[in-house]
């Protein structure tokens, strides 16, 4: 069977009808790549799907914006005009301005933002 005009044009342009080799596909570039690290979003989404309950994505949550993974695979961010939570011992805690006495006799709120004043550091 004789090569037609299309086959001749393909040969002129360096095009082949043969499958590309792994090297030609760039396989050596990506072959040794591992999977990306599991993200907080993925972990929260998986937990939400397994439990049927929405799950806080702590790494995306801020003092004014909690982010939730929903059981259906979507995410929800809620926004507040004021601070509703603070980091306490590495976890988000609702603001609680109830004063408690410290060992040194000072009074500080149970959970609130630290405030710096020109005279010194306050907690309120």
């Amino acid at each position: 069977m004789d090569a037609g005009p299309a086959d001749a044009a393909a040969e002129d342009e360096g095009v082949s009808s043969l499958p590309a080799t792994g090297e030609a596909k760039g396989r050596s570039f990506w072959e040794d790549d591992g999977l990306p690290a599991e993200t907080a979003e993925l972990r929260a989404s998986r937990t939400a799907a397994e439990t049927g309950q929405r799950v806080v994505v702590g790494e995306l949550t801020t003092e004014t914006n909690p982010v939730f993974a929903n059981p259906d695979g979507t995410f929800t961010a809620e926004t507040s005009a004021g601070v509703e939570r603070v980091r306490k011992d590495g976890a988000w805690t609702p603001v609680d301005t109830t004063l408690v006495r410290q060992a040194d006799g000072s009074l500080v709120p149970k959970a609130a933002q630290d405030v710096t004043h020109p005279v010194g550091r306050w907690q309120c």
Side-chain angles (χ1 to χ4, degrees), residues 64-104:
T64 57
N65 301 312
V67 177
F68 300 93
N70 301 309
D72 66 359
T74 62
F75 290 85
T76 300
E78 297 175 355
T79 301
S80 172
V83 173
E84 292 190 352
R85 69 201 56 75
V86 294
R87 283 267 187 200
K88 186 170 182 171
D89 301 324
W92 287 112
T93 304
V95 170
D96 184 348
T97 57
T98 304
L99 296 177
V100 293
R101 189 167 305 277
Q102 299 294 297
D104 66 1

Side-chain angles (χ1 to χ4, degrees), residues 5-18:
D7 293 332
E11 284 181 29
D12 289 343
E13 295 176 18
V15 178
S16 171
S17 61
L18 297 175

